Amino acid sequence: MECSTVREGISATLDGEDPGVPMADLEAHVDGCADCAAWWEAAAGITRLARLAPVTEPPAVPERVYARVAAKPGVDRLRWALVLVAVCQFSVVVSQLLMPMPGITGEAHGGHLQHETAAFNFAIAVGLLFVAARPFRARTQLPLLLSFAGVLVFLSIVDVLGGQVGWYRLSGHVPLLLGVLCTILLGFGRWRAPEPGSHVREDAETFTATADAESSRPRRRAKTDRHQPPAAKRVA
Ligand SMILES: [Zn+2]
């Protein structure tokens, strides 16, 4: 039996198909042919790698996604800015709870109104910290942040025009506005962090063991078996 026929049969066997010749004849040839024995071993190794790699290799996508997030210029600076802004926002909460607020404490139920405001501002600070920790989810916080900031800015303008609010009180809104700005930049700007499952994943997959094994399989086979296409392919 010729080497080419034997290798076609081996290739078909590895693909789980009928080799077309008795298995005993293949083994008998390989016992006496060092080249075909080496070819069989290499082909079996590649097949095993291609089949086992998806199970044994851990997925490489998440690490690469997070690496891209960290490597993207400006993302880290925006995240640290958000942390700083969140700390300022927490300080606003503390000052609202501990210090008298002109315009609120004098009114009826002013004490509870101040507590409500502190609770809102605390939640905003937590939301900003969430964006700093998960920048690729920045846009999930925008409906709340933008609606709160929008209404607050509108009412602040009305109050300023009516002379009902001082600059001291307005300055407490600065951290919120800066936080919203950073969140918009992270969600939509050129610093936008990639989301898991976006195009980055396609890039990353080419580096997984699975893809390497799959892509190397036809290449290596073509090199060693250039003139003998596998029986399965020839039949198809
Ligand atoms: Zn041979």
Side-chain angles (χ1 to χ4, degrees):
M1 195 182 293
E2 287 188 12
C3 290
S4 60
T5 309
V6 170
R7 294 180 189 187
E8 285 178 17
I10 291 171
S11 182
T13 305
L14 291 173
D15 289 339
E17 293 168 9
D18 181 9
V21 292
M23 201 61 200
D25 289 356
L26 291 180
E27 288 171 354
H29 175 93
V30 169
D31 281 345
C33 177
D35 283 351
C36 282
W39 190 91
W40 191 343
E41 196 175 321
I46 292 168
T47 302
R48 198 161 47 236
L49 183 65
R51 287 182 183 160
L52 292 182
V55 180
T56 56
E57 293 294 326
V61 174
E63 283 178 22
R64 291 185 59 82
V65 168
Y66 286 119
R68 290 288 184 94
V69 172
K72 209 149 187 177
V75 168
D76 275 350
R77 263 171 282 171
L78 281 173
R79 293 171 72 188
W80 280 112
L82 270 174
V83 171
L84 195 65
V85 165
V87 169
C88 293
Q89 184 74 5
F90 280 125
S91 74
V92 169
V93 173
V94 172
S95 73
Q96 283 179 336
L97 291 176
L98 299 182
M99 295 166 66
M101 289 287 167
I104 287 186
T105 49
E107 298 166 10
H109 308 296
H112 182 66
L113 190 57
Q114 189 164 330
H115 289 167
E116 284 180 358
T117 311
F120 284 136
N121 283 324
F122 182 86
I124 293 297
V126 171
L128 295 178
L129 280 182
F130 174 84
V131 174
R134 297 278 184 272
F136 52 86
R137 291 186 183 159
R139 281 184 288 175
T140 64
Q141 302 299 303
L142 282 176
L144 188 146
L145 290 175
L146 279 177
S147 56
F148 185 42
V151 173
L152 188 63
V153 166
F154 173 76
L155 293 178
S156 294
I157 291 173
V158 171
D159 289 343
V160 166
L161 293 178
Q164 297 181 47
V165 67
W167 292 108
Y168 166 74
R169 184 119 188 90
L170 283 178
S171 65
H173 306 328
V174 171
L176 165 71
L177 297 179
L178 288 177
V180 171
L181 180 65
C182 290
T183 304
I184 291 173
L185 289 175
L186 278 173
F188 293 99
R190 63 190 175 91
W191 301 278
R192 185 187 157 197
E195 298 169 39
S198 68
H199 65 283
V200 173
R201 178 176 167 167
E202 288 157 30
D203 294 347
E205 273 179 354
T206 61
F207 293 96
T208 61
T210 311
D212 277 353
E214 298 281 9
S215 62
S216 67
R217 189 180 177 192
R219 189 176 69 241
R220 291 178 66 176
R221 174 174 288 178
K223 199 183 289 177
T224 55
D225 196 23
R226 193 171 297 144
H227 304 296
Q228 298 114 29
K233 283 185 182 172
R234 195 188 54 188
V235 169

